[in-house]
Amino acid sequence: MNVDKIVVVFAQEEHAGYARRICDLIYESALQRGTGIARRSDEYISGKITGGKAVVALDGDKLVGFSYIECWGHGDFVATSGLIVDPEYRHLGLAARIKEKTFELARMRFPFAKIFSITTSLPVMKLNSRMGYKPVTFSELTDDEEFWQGCKGCVNYDILQRNNRRMCLCTGMLYDPLLPAKNNTAATPYIMHVGNIFKKLFRIKK
């Protein structure tokens, strides 16, 4: 395949027809990672696309990657979510391109919002660190109940509940446009990843 021919763009209404394929990719990836994240509906993904809150990666007419943004706390927080790459197109740097384009979209649509991510993925931590995100406690993220209800589909939801939503196996990361850029080191994502491993080993019991 020719990587140079893959385009990563802000989604337009004509891309809504890819919604079913996107839902399947997100669900299959969640199963592989063992996160148990609930399946998104075609209507939900289609709404993100037509609402100007998504990014697609295309190899000609083939959908090969996707991500979207969600707004929480009356616009004070924005989450970048659903980052997915077709298995045949992984390890080509495509996830980084999609992540950067989604970050650009979030900054463009909500320039004063704090942008956050919760993840157990080392590659995502690396990408976030490179863009200026810093690791934070969950208390620094949105307190919007609707966002946290979205964690119910995860196999680790009981851990989140048991710790009164203060921590889980995921690492919280935050970009605050009003604060000076944080100079993360190359070791930052690895430190967070090791922390996640210890959390998993001890299941964050009180």
Side-chain angles (χ1 to χ4, degrees):
M1 67 186 68
N2 189 339
V3 178
D4 294 333
K5 290 186 178 180
I6 300 174
V7 297
V8 180
V9 297
F10 299 141
Q12 304 295 325
E13 289 192 10
E14 61 263 30
H15 298 134
Y18 293 116
R20 171 54 63 87
R21 175 58 179 159
I22 292 167
C23 290
D24 290 342
L25 284 174
I26 292 174
Y27 183 66
E28 290 164 8
S29 177
L31 289 179
Q32 291 171 3
R33 297 194 311 270
T35 58
I37 298 300
R39 179 188 288 271
R40 296 299 190 185
S41 69
D42 294 8
E43 292 77 18
Y44 182 87
I45 295 299
S46 179
K48 292 297 179 185
I49 293 173
T50 58
K53 295 182 178 180
V55 166
V56 293
L58 302 168
D59 184 0
D61 293 330
K62 182 179 180 180
L63 184 286
V64 298
F66 176 78
S67 185
Y68 64 92
I69 61 175
E70 295 181 287
C71 184
W72 306 100
H74 306 290
D76 293 333
F77 290 87
V78 174
T80 58
S81 303
L83 175 61
I84 188 66
V85 174
D86 186 302
E88 294 181 12
Y89 289 78
R90 291 174 185 169
H91 310 297
L92 299 174
L94 188 53
R97 291 174 59 190
I98 296 171
K99 182 75 175 179
E100 289 165 358
K101 195 69 174 178
T102 309
F103 183 79
E104 179 185 344
L105 178 62
R107 296 285 289 122
M108 181 178 70
R109 291 290 307 270
F110 304 96
F112 302 108
K114 296 177 181 178
I115 306 172
F116 72 97
S117 169
I118 61 171
T119 183
T120 58
S121 168
L122 178 58
V124 172
M125 291 178 198
K126 288 181 180 179
L127 291 173
N128 286 346
S129 293
R130 195 168 70 197
M131 289 185 288
Y133 287 72
K134 65 175 184 177
V136 295
T137 62
F138 282 10
S139 64
E140 296 178 69
L141 306 179
T142 181
D143 60 1
D144 194 313
E145 288 296 329
E146 188 176 351
F147 169 78
W148 294 103
Q149 288 297 311
C151 292
K152 280 187 173 180
C154 180
V155 295
N156 299 316
Y157 184 63
D158 65 309
I159 299 175
L160 184 67
Q161 285 185 304
R162 190 166 66 243
N163 289 278
N164 296 318
R165 214 165 67 189
R166 293 193 304 269
M167 62 184 75
C168 192
L169 299 187
C170 283
T171 293
M173 301 189 72
L174 183 73
Y175 172 88
D176 188 339
L178 302 182
L179 293 179
K182 178 181 175 65
N183 294 320
N184 292 319
T185 69
T188 299
Y190 293 98
I191 293 170
M192 291 185 289
H193 184 60
V194 170
N196 282 340
I197 293 174
F198 277 101
K199 287 182 192 177
K200 190 171 184 179
L201 287 173
F202 294 102
R203 304 293 289 181
I204 319 182
K205 293 181 179 178
K206 290 184 176 181

